[in-house]
Amino acid sequence: VQHFEKGLVPLDAGALNGSGLRVLIVHTRWNLPIVEALLEGARSTLTSLNVSASDITIKSVPGSYELPFAAQSLIRQSSPKYDAVICIGVLIKGSTMHFEYIADATSQGIMRVGLDEGVPVVFGVLTCLTEDQALERAALGKGADKGHNHGVDWGQAAVEMALLNKG
Ligand SMILES: O=Nc1c(NC[C@H](O)[C@H](O)[C@H](O)CO)[nH]c(=O)[nH]c1=O
């Protein structure tokens, strides 16, 4: 029995004015249809928060394990620095321990890049035990309830943290 509203409680959109912010989105090419839905959720949310399309840079990498390095490398190449980075990937548990090792390394790596580079890096990696779990978190669910596109939450988080970091 659920006693409270789960999930993110967003700030009201008026509080998040992303005008002038420069945002990088790095996404993987594993489980691409799901990644592309998450990417579109994040991108359209940034736009709805007044981040201009020309200030959104989108790059791809092979898989989730590459996200931390790509985020760090692209932050260091950017001038002026990106105001926020969103890393998007989809890990789906297979029959080995590979999933656990990548998920742990990727989450630790993404956190470290943000802290080391002083740029908010949003953790947009789904770590799912089944394909259906991933589909539902990209609003591609097969049931009547398609689910919720977490890319939207990540776009909001990127703007909120970029503004926090600007002071
Ligand atoms: O194994 N499954 C997955 C995966 N493996 C590849 C890994 O991220 C990396 O690209 C290679 O190990 C090369 O470094 N990457 C994902 O994004 N999702 C998966 O579900």
Side-chain angles (χ1 to χ4, degrees):
V1 176
Q2 199 166 307
H3 299 288
F4 54 89
E5 180 53 43
K6 231 166 70 70
L8 167 69
V9 176
L11 293 177
D12 57 72
L16 294 180
N17 181 357
S19 175
L21 294 180
R22 300 170 64 252
V23 180
L24 166 67
I25 303 178
V26 190
H27 70 85
T28 64
R29 297 191 304 275
W30 269 72
N31 306 305
L32 196 56
I34 302 174
V35 166
E36 285 177 335
L38 296 165
L39 170 63
E40 181 50 27
R43 195 201 56 72
S44 58
T45 299
L46 291 173
T47 302
S48 74
L49 295 174
N50 303 321
V51 178
S52 60
S54 59
D55 285 337
I56 301 172
T57 303
I58 298 174
K59 299 278 187 182
S60 82
V61 293
S64 294
Y65 192 84
E66 280 72 47
L67 287 169
F69 183 87
Q72 183 179 67
S73 174
L74 292 164
I75 287 169
R76 292 181 176 180
Q77 294 174 51
S78 65
S79 174
K81 267 191 182 185
Y82 291 115
D83 295 300
V85 178
I86 305 173
C87 290
I88 296 178
V90 176
L91 283 163
I92 298 176
K93 171 81 178 150
S95 54
T96 68
M97 287 289 289
H98 197 220
F99 166 87
E100 283 81 354
Y101 288 104
I102 299 174
D104 185 47
T106 300
S107 58
Q108 295 294 332
I110 286 172
M111 182 189 291
R112 183 159 63 83
V113 169
L115 293 171
D116 289 356
E117 304 301 326
V119 174
V121 181
V122 174
F123 181 71
V125 180
L126 297 185
T127 52
C128 299
L129 299 178
T130 65
E131 189 179 300
D132 282 347
Q133 282 183 354
L135 289 165
E136 284 159 17
R137 284 154 183 78
L140 298 172
K142 296 174 189 151
D145 172 10
K146 296 283 174 245
H148 166 72
N149 188 330
H150 283 251
V152 173
D153 305 340
W154 304 335
Q156 290 171 353
V159 170
E160 181 174 344
M161 294 309 290
L163 293 174
L164 177 141
N165 196 37
K166 273 185 171 294

